[in-house]
Amino acid sequence: MNDLNKSTPSTKLYLEIVEKLREMIDTDGLVSGDKIPSERELSERLNVGRSSIREALRALELLGLIETRRGEGTFIRDYQDHNLIKLLGTFFLQDPKVKQDLAETKEYLETNCIRIVISSSPEQDLEQFLNWATGQEFSDDEFFTKLVGLNSNFLMERIWTIVNSYARAANQEFLALDYSSYIRLIHLMIERNINQAISHYLKNIRKK
Amino acid sequence: MNDLNKSTPSTKLYLEIVEKLREMIDTDGLVSGDKIPSERELSERLNVGRSSIREALRALELLGLIETRRGEGTFIRDYQDHNLIKLLGTFFLQDPKVKQDLAETKEYLETNCIRIVISSSPEQDLEQFLNWATGQEFSDDEFFTKLVGLNSNFLMERIWTIVNSYARAANQEFLALDYSSYIRLIHLMIERNINQAISHYLKNIRKK
DNA sequence: TTTTTATAAGTGGTCTGACCACATTAGGCT
DNA sequence: AGCCTAATGTGGTCAGACCACTTATAAAAA
């Protein structure tokens, strides 16, 4: 019988295992790329069946917290979306209202981001951004990935990334890129001109 | 041997099962509350082991798409729930940088929300909001839940809810509520005065 | 007949042991 | 040394077994 969670389970066993794994990762100081014990070893150490271990690992895998490689093992990995996106996508991305909300939200996040960058990014970063944009071709995605990266808020970055990948999955329309508009946006940001930057973004980049 | 995914699997079996389940739900027109076939029956129908079925169900359960009740069965459920939140929470809420990002992001979302409400919510809704706030006591949470609800973007609402629940879990500080500040914010919104509303929010409600 | 109570059947939860497919390693051969 | 082959370790999957719990069924009691 399993050690955690005797008799009538208050929470599902696999969720407790997830918690135990978290502690294990924490106390052992495991970081991205490290290997975690094999399923069989975990099964022994926690005194639970291997199938329960696997259910917990599936949950973590789904969240993108671990990666399993057959024949090799299971590895910690940087938190990223992944399967979750795909799953939710195949399930509920057909709702048109959801699509509209996605586009809207993406836009809000991006204007918000422009505001923040304007009011707090150092000149130097913006110049570097400008150099990058001037020197090469890029996609809308790449541009805003860079931009979102400029405000050093990891959470915000993640939210945008997720919303963006949803939005991309829901809407396959490609905008013809007008590089000069993007460059102009950067210039407006360097001039710290919030209002013009935002209206430029809305009019010339999102074509509203 | 399983029917889906013979020999060298291109994608994991449990993910294929998820897809099959989605189709099944789709074609059978199952909706929230309906019962899906038992694990054993699914196992037979799809010609895969019951453990694989379970791994797929765990994934869906984690996403809040289904609910399992021991002794009864597995049921479809509205997709707005949060094992996911809890899990992610326990996983990376210990990082102090994350905490700061949370507070910041919450603030961004809220100012953003104020902007949107000001520029698109009908007078009537705002008056109603004012009445609600005038008539009773409320928490900061409740106030902003209402406010976020005013811009009719479900996704945005969800994001705020999630960020907010994280933020609350990470930061237990309670602000002493000054109701007049909240009332004043609503008035400023009714006057459609974006700049003042936002600076009032930052200065008097978030005490910056 | 109606109500209560035992029994059976169905279902999710878990464990065990068995293969398979694949990757890495260790030995042994040339 | 270099190559090939076994052995080992790992995740992926399956089958069957119990357990705990719920619901439906049938038998017994009123």
Side-chain angles (χ1 to χ4, degrees):
Chain A
M1 196 38 50
N2 71 70
D3 270 2
L4 341 162
N5 208 346
K6 357 234 168 208
S7 68
T8 296
S10 46
T11 68
K12 312 232 167 172
L13 180 53
Y14 84 98
L15 289 177
E16 303 207 8
I17 294 176
V18 164
E19 176 56 21
K20 276 274 180 289
L21 284 174
R22 193 194 63 71
E23 289 171 17
M24 193 175 296
I25 291 173
D26 220 44
T27 60
D28 293 0
L30 300 184
V31 298
S32 187
D34 289 351
K35 191 166 176 301
I36 69 178
S38 75
E39 296 179 351
R40 288 166 179 86
E41 187 181 337
L42 287 173
S43 173
E44 276 193 16
R45 271 172 48 179
L46 300 181
N47 274 302
V48 298
R50 197 182 148 210
S51 52
S52 297
I53 294 287
R54 282 184 60 79
E55 291 189 14
L57 291 180
R58 283 298 77 67
L60 294 181
E61 185 182 56
L62 189 78
L63 295 177
L65 295 172
I66 60 171
E67 179 182 3
T68 56
R69 295 201 284 270
R70 173 196 239 148
E72 299 181 60
T74 303
F75 304 83
I76 310 247
R77 149 170 143 177
D78 263 338
Y79 165 72
Q80 25 190 321
D81 14 47
H82 236 72
N83 286 335
L84 194 146
I85 304 296
K86 233 185 341 188
L87 275 194
L88 280 182
T90 61
F91 258 83
F92 292 106
L93 225 53
Q94 33 258 48
D95 186 342
K97 173 68 167 100
V98 170
K99 280 192 185 181
Q100 187 195 327
D101 283 4
L102 271 171
E104 239 176 65
T105 305
K106 177 165 141 71
E107 211 172 280
Y108 295 153
L109 289 175
E110 287 170 355
T111 59
N112 212 13
C113 182
I114 292 175
R115 257 192 206 93
I116 297 162
V117 166
I118 286 185
S119 55
S120 61
S121 281
E123 177 102 14
Q124 188 182 349
D125 289 359
L126 288 172
E127 292 287 356
Q128 202 170 327
F129 186 30
L130 182 58
N131 280 339
W132 171 83
T134 313
Q136 70 195 293
E137 298 203 332
F138 51 83
S139 67
D140 188 79
D141 253 34
E142 288 170 325
F143 182 85
F144 282 99
T145 302
K146 284 261 180 203
L147 182 57
V148 171
L150 277 183
N151 72 4
S152 54
N153 182 322
F154 181 66
L155 177 59
M156 200 73 177
E157 204 171 321
R158 287 232 55 69
I159 293 178
W160 178 83
T161 304
I162 293 176
V163 169
N164 186 52
S165 44
Y166 277 132
R168 201 183 329 152
N171 261 322
Q172 294 298 5
E173 56 190 53
F174 293 88
L175 328 155
L177 283 200
D178 174 10
Y179 292 102
S180 63
S181 289
Y182 291 82
I183 305 282
R184 172 107 179 94
L185 177 58
I186 301 182
H187 276 120
L188 287 170
M189 292 196 295
I190 292 179
E191 295 166 18
R192 312 290 174 178
N193 192 330
I194 294 193
N195 291 334
Q196 251 190 278
I198 289 185
S199 74
H200 175 79
Y201 161 79
L202 290 175
K203 285 208 194 85
N204 299 77
I205 294 189
R206 293 295 167 237
K207 321 283 187 192
K208 297 244 160 164
Chain B
M1 197 37 53
N2 72 71
D3 270 3
L4 342 163
N5 206 347
K6 358 234 167 205
S7 67
T8 295
S10 46
T11 69
K12 311 230 170 179
L13 181 53
Y14 85 97
L15 290 176
E16 303 206 10
I17 294 176
V18 164
E19 176 56 22
K20 276 273 179 291
L21 284 173
R22 192 194 64 71
E23 289 172 17
M24 194 175 296
I25 291 174
D26 222 43
T27 60
D28 292 1
L30 300 184
V31 299
S32 188
D34 289 350
K35 191 167 176 302
I36 69 179
S38 75
E39 297 179 351
R40 288 167 178 85
E41 187 182 337
L42 287 174
S43 173
E44 275 193 17
R45 276 178 35 184
L46 300 182
N47 273 304
V48 298
R50 196 181 149 211
S51 53
S52 297
I53 294 286
R54 282 185 61 79
E55 292 189 12
L57 291 180
R58 284 298 76 68
L60 294 181
E61 184 182 55
L62 190 77
L63 295 177
L65 296 174
I66 62 171
E67 179 183 2
T68 56
R69 295 201 283 271
R70 174 200 231 137
E72 298 182 60
T74 303
F75 303 84
I76 309 240
R77 151 168 143 178
D78 262 338
Y79 69 102
Q80 345 186 348
D81 245 311
H82 20 310
N83 267 338
L84 193 146
I85 308 296
K86 242 191 310 194
L87 273 192
L88 280 181
T90 62
F91 253 85
F92 69 172
L93 219 56
Q94 36 258 43
D95 186 343
K97 172 68 167 94
V98 169
K99 281 193 184 181
Q100 186 195 327
D101 285 2
L102 270 171
E104 239 177 63
T105 304
K106 178 165 140 71
E107 212 172 279
Y108 295 153
L109 289 175
E110 287 170 356
T111 60
N112 213 12
C113 181
I114 292 175
R115 259 193 205 92
I116 296 163
V117 166
I118 287 186
S119 55
S120 62
S121 280
E123 177 103 12
Q124 187 182 349
D125 288 0
L126 287 172
E127 292 286 357
Q128 201 170 327
F129 186 29
L130 181 58
N131 281 338
W132 171 83
T134 313
Q136 68 194 297
E137 299 203 332
F138 51 84
S139 67
D140 187 80
D141 253 33
E142 289 169 325
F143 182 84
F144 281 99
T145 302
K146 285 260 180 204
L147 182 58
V148 170
L150 278 183
N151 72 5
S152 56
N153 181 321
F154 180 67
L155 177 59
M156 200 73 176
E157 205 173 321
R158 276 223 68 61
I159 293 178
W160 178 84
T161 304
I162 292 173
V163 170
N164 186 50
S165 50
Y166 277 135
R168 201 181 331 151
N171 259 321
Q172 293 299 5
E173 57 189 52
F174 293 88
L175 327 155
L177 282 201
D178 174 9
Y179 292 103
S180 63
S181 288
Y182 291 83
I183 306 281
R184 172 109 180 94
L185 177 57
I186 301 182
H187 276 121
L188 287 170
M189 291 195 294
I190 292 179
E191 295 167 19
R192 311 291 173 178
N193 191 329
I194 293 191
N195 290 334
Q196 252 189 278
I198 288 185
S199 74
H200 175 78
Y201 161 79
L202 290 175
K203 285 210 192 85
N204 299 79
I205 295 189
R206 294 292 168 240
K207 321 283 187 191
K208 297 243 161 165

